[in-house]
Amino acid sequence: MRKRILFVINPISGGKKKTAFNKQVLEVLDLKKFDPTFKITNHPNHAYELGKQAINEGYDAVVAVGGDGTINELGSAILGTDMPLGIIPEGSGNGLALYLGIPLNEAAAIRRINKFETVEVDTGEINGRNFFNIAGIGFDAFVSDHFATENIRGPIGYLRSSMNVFSKFKPSDYTLYIDGKPYEREAFMISVANSPQYGNNAYIAPQASITDGILDVCIVHKFPLYLLPKMIFHLFTKSADQSDYVEIIPGKNIKIVRDARGPVHVDGEPVEMGEELEISIKHKSLKIIC
């Protein structure tokens, strides 16, 4: 029997039109092995709802056609089940897909699904919300919050949000408990990385692995403005861990206490959370087709 696959399409992710996507799948997917169905998201959390329906309706796999936010919703729906998640990268950053080596080209990514090879990966949790790539607070969380209101999607919109936030952003004080050990830090931002990169090949935690059962807590300290180009250079040369302003501490159970509630980015999507953040990892809890 052919495997039933549900393609969940986010029509606005990455600022890319996807009107020809269904036709592309029908041309490239091995229709002798797979029976595809297509559904389009039209409101927040819709991909999560469609993922839950796919479980109840007996699909063999679901595929996120979108960015890390779409992957997050769909992955959260099937987490802990035997149903694998496929990825067609169509987001602004595509951090998880790039790390897993999934091609950004649609046809090439669909051909990966034809092979139907899976890997078991770790997933993180922050105050009850799942994340698969990176969660964070501070500067990048405020950028995600600003980006959500941008009318320009994709890398250009994200860059514009980054510059707007950077001009007025101030570091904050945090207390961290990493596997029970306390740390007091003033930080520009703190990223908790399951995989090494945000997206677009910007690596905040070059040594992170999605299968090692460990999260990398990346603390970016306050740095002088004139060093911004060097900090960006570190990100794109996989050398952030060599910067004097970046401290990386591995851990499995993390608690972060901050002065006030505010935005947290969860796989790039902004979420309002309180002063205390409880973060943990679930080892090899999701199957991904790659």
Side-chain angles (χ1 to χ4, degrees), residues 180-251:
K181 185 175 179 179
Y183 301 83
E184 298 283 345
R185 297 290 188 271
E186 182 188 43
F188 181 71
M189 66 183 192
I190 300 174
S191 296
V192 181
N194 187 35
S195 90
Q197 65 160 293
Y198 292 120
N200 296 310
N201 292 313
Y203 285 75
I204 185 62
Q207 306 305 319
S209 166
I210 205 166
T211 58
D212 63 359
I214 296 171
L215 295 166
D216 282 22
V217 183
C218 308
I219 304 166
V220 179
H221 300 283
K222 181 180 178 181
F223 58 88
L225 181 59
Y226 72 87
L227 285 180
L228 179 60
K230 186 175 182 180
M231 298 296 288
I232 294 172
F233 173 81
H234 279 305
L235 282 176
F236 287 98
T237 57
K238 301 183 183 181
S239 59
D241 54 344
Q242 298 173 28
S243 169
D244 293 336
Y245 296 93
V246 177
E247 179 182 10
I248 299 179
I249 306 170

Side-chain angles (χ1 to χ4, degrees), residues 109-137:
I110 295 166
R111 290 190 192 99
R112 288 289 184 97
I113 295 171
N114 283 335
K115 296 179 180 179
F116 213 75
E117 297 174 351
T118 63
V119 60
E120 289 184 314
V121 304
D122 304 335
T123 62
E125 184 176 295
I126 178 166
N127 282 16
R129 293 285 298 258
N130 297 305
F131 67 95
F132 303 92
N133 194 44
I134 295 176
I137 55 177

